[in-house]
């Protein structure tokens, strides 16, 4: 193969938000400890909190308090997820300069989540993003169920591209594609990237994979071959899939870092430091996390004779 | 990407041998049930037994008895692993026409396993393979630790290519590369295939990956891009890594089939039938197996609204 892969990749650590959102709630001080520890591993980005209603997602309560207490590392870009205008206002007031908003490519999934069609969510994006921009922040649109929907099945890549076109028209600075229930495969990654790039050659793209069916790193490899250099991952694989006990959820950050480093692709992350945080994360949520590199150690860790 | 991937892949199911070898011993009748069930899923090849001394590997005892009782499916190619001339004699007498012999690319690993250097094992190959051929069977040489050794670390691709050259000179009909402790990454797969193909453009190649560090399907994808069409996999992921509790061992057959089918690559396997055998395998070994597709179901299995 002569495909030239990128020489470096930017990882956004989503354990504190996307990960913890699917675990049993933990204390504010523990969330702060986790974010602080992650911020010292060389990770360039951390998704820190979500400004959602605590009744909707109790795990994300006290976002203001968490963020206030974090030792903010000037070398790390922090982001917050917001579901609506009210959340955006709170995030801006708290001082975040990178906000994320989710729209599902699957109409059924979007309705199940927020009782709105995808089209209605897209209609509301313009005002939301304008508010974010007015507040001096950037807006990333995360397209959920981009590689398949658990209710509808396959989602056509042309549908995802249509959502992206609408998001860009509404002012999105970046787009992310979420493999919400781990339905992504190399073929789906290829089809999506080709469809989106055909109409939006320049919008920054980030990919978010789950390892539910073992394909996360194969999907990453495919995306690298298309020049994608931004990926989400979750320390230890935090964020189990609540309705499929035992199934792994988010791609573990250390599995991503481990493969990329062996391929000579820089991430800036100190893998040993990250593994220590993964051990801490297991303690915080009180369960064994699914990360294989955490269990077995990196391939460079030799067995004594 | 314009890389043309193969249109079909031949999977060798190794659960009954390589898988069970790392599980608690099960009864002869259960081994037979497992092999028979696998033989009805459309799998083209099954590694059925090993003719090793029961004191060395109690899990593999009664190979003759197992094989005698199996309902042999004429559409399935069965193979047996043999450690030496005595094992080869037993396998030939039992009627096997495809035998496998293991040599480790790592000298330290080879010595730990059989108290011989790699060179000494290679020296003995000629006589062993001649015996196999005289008995009307083919001989595959499996090169263990091809992508790294837990004691020595990286194994140079040139070293693996040297082992292959010696094996081919000794009469090997095929070679397989074992990722014995899951140290393979796309980079190691690329380096190995380029080195081996440079000196042996025609020898049939099979790859055997472990998913210990999450890279198995990324490794498969890389190998497909190099035109490799033969892979080992183990139903349910049978065959935990005994010295790394919780770590997954063999790539689960259903994860491999699931990804390949979605990519339009034929395997001949009925995935639903295979998943039923994975459930049976969990019952036989009495533990939850690590296969993600077994836990979450295939991506085509929808959640009712």
């Amino acid at each position: 193969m002569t495909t030239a892969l990128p020489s470096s990749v930017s990882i956004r650590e989503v354990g504190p938000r996307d990960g913890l959102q699917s675990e049993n709630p933990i204390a504010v001080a523990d969330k702060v400890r986790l974010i602080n520890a992650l911020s010292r591993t060389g990770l360039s980005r951390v998704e820190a909190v979500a400004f959602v209603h605590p009744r909707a997602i109790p795990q994300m309560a006290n976002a203001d308090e968490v963020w206030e207490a974090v030792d903010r590392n000037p070398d790390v870009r922090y982001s917050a997820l917001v579901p609506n205008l009210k959340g955006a206002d709170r995030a801006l007031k708290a001082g975040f300069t990178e906000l994320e908003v989710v729209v599902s490519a699957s109409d059924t999934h979007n309705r199940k989540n927020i009782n709105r069609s995808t089209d209605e969510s897209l209609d509301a994006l313009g005002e939301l993003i304008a508010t974010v921009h007015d507040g001096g922040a950037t807006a990333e649109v995360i397209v959920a169920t981009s590689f398949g929907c658990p209710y509808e099945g396959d989602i056509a890549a042309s549908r995802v591209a249509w959502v992206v076109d609408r998001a860009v028209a509404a002012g999105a600075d970046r787009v992310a594609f979420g493999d919400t229930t781990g339905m992504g495969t190399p073929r789906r990654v290829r089809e999506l990237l080709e469809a989106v790039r055909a109409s939006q050659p320049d919008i920054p793209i980030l990919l978010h994979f789950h390892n539910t069916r073992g394909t996360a790193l194969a999907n990453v490899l495919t995306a690298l071959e298309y020049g994608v250099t931004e990926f989400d991952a979750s320390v230890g694989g935090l964020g189990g899939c609540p309705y499929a006990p035992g199934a792994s959820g988010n791609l573990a950050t250390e599995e991503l870092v481990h493969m990329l480093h062996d391929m000579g692709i820089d991430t800036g992350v100190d893998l040993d430091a990250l593994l220590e945080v993964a051990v801490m994360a297991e303690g915080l949520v009180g369960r064994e996390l699914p990360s294989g590199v955490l269990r077995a150690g990196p391939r460079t860790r030799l067995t004594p004779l």
Side-chain angles (χ1 to χ4, degrees), chain A residues 82-107:
Chain A
V82 300
N84 48 33
L85 272 176
K86 191 169 170 194
D89 283 336
R90 285 177 63 199
L92 292 168
K93 210 162 285 170
F96 277 94
T97 56
E98 300 199 19
L99 304 195
E100 307 153 9
V101 56
V102 179
V103 177
S104 187
S106 154
D107 217 52

Side-chain angles (χ1 to χ4, degrees), chain A residues 116-127:
Chain A
R116 269 181 174 187
S117 69
T118 301
D119 204 48
E120 288 167 329
S121 282
L122 291 168
D123 283 342
L125 270 188
E127 189 188 356

